[in-house]
Amino acid sequence: MSTVYPLLATLVAYLIGSLSFAVLVSRIMGLSDPRTYGSNNPGATNVLRSGNKAAAILTLLLDAFKGWLPVVAVKWWGEAWGLGDGTVALVGLAAFLGHLYPVFFGFKGGKGVATAAGVILGFNPWLGLATLATWLIIAVFFRYSSLASIVAAVFAPFFFLLGGGSVWEAPTPLVLSLALMGLLLIWRHAENINRLIAGKESKLGAKKKS
């Protein structure tokens, strides 16, 4: 049973992560499918290109929540079931992978920025705030969501290690999970990196072309 509970928790986290809120919120609010315009990415930034800020904010919050929920659930109640840091790391990664490869949407998901932010907040709220502050600073100054996401993804594991033992605890499984999510985020932004280099990347707030 010591293996069953971590596997069940990981599976549930993946299924929660597989809820593509960009698509669901757009459907409920009568908007175009975000997979059909802009970057074709089912995420909050692309929903913002529809011109509906409320839909984008709701998508952002729900995508973050689905990353945060499995992590804190295991942290709060997992000890009684023998679930420790290893399971916390696994469920965070599983929720993130669910967003990238959602079973309910043909395994074609978003880039995972908001979900990763939710996972990091679940790992440690102060680490989450530091990572979000990094994203916000880059986004405000350069107005590129992709660039802000890449920089935040790179810095998050380093923040965690630097603060380990003094500001917060930094268990190895959580550090490894963060590093893997960071690498996947960078990989998922490969096209954005090419457009940034070519000067063709869309800036925050840019609407879809009619």
Side-chain angles (χ1 to χ4, degrees):
M1 294 299 288
S2 61
T3 305
V4 172
Y5 292 138
L7 289 176
L8 282 175
T10 302
L11 176 60
V12 171
Y14 170 74
L15 294 176
I16 293 172
S18 290
L19 297 171
S20 184
F21 286 111
V23 177
L24 295 173
V25 169
S26 294
R27 285 179 183 174
I28 292 170
M29 299 184 72
L31 303 174
S32 299
D33 190 320
R35 296 169 295 182
T36 63
Y37 62 79
S39 64
N40 304 118
N41 176 60
T45 301
N46 203 38
V47 172
L48 183 61
R49 294 190 178 105
S50 72
N52 193 314
K53 293 182 180 179
I57 292 171
L58 185 56
T59 298
L60 177 69
L61 293 175
L62 288 172
D63 278 348
F65 179 74
K66 73 182 183 184
W68 176 85
L69 179 62
V71 172
V72 296
V74 172
K75 289 180 70 174
W76 290 347
W77 300 297
E79 188 176 356
W81 301 90
L83 306 180
D85 291 332
T87 306
V88 172
L90 280 175
V91 297
L93 184 60
F96 176 73
L97 289 172
H99 182 83
L100 267 57
Y101 307 103
V103 66
F104 305 125
F105 295 86
F107 300 100
K108 296 179 181 179
K111 294 173 182 175
V113 176
T115 303
V119 171
I120 295 170
L121 281 167
F123 282 176
N124 185 285
W126 291 111
L127 173 67
L129 290 175
T131 306
L132 288 172
T134 301
W135 186 95
L136 187 60
I137 290 168
I138 300 299
V140 168
F141 278 94
F142 296 97
R143 292 188 60 210
Y144 289 114
S145 175
S146 56
L147 179 62
S149 301
I150 293 165
V151 172
V154 170
F155 272 81
F158 289 106
F159 285 155
F160 206 32
L161 286 172
L162 287 173
S166 55
V167 183
W168 48 60
E169 294 297 320
T172 300
L174 270 62
V175 175
L176 293 175
S177 181
L178 273 175
L180 185 53
M181 282 193 295
L183 289 173
L184 286 169
L185 274 169
I186 293 170
W187 177 65
R188 294 287 283 192
H189 281 82
E191 291 183 5
N192 301 87
I193 293 171
N194 289 333
R195 288 197 294 268
L196 282 166
I197 294 171
K200 297 180 179 179
E201 178 73 334
S202 298
K203 292 190 174 184
L204 281 167
K207 295 183 179 180
K208 66 176 180 177
K209 293 181 180 179
S210 59

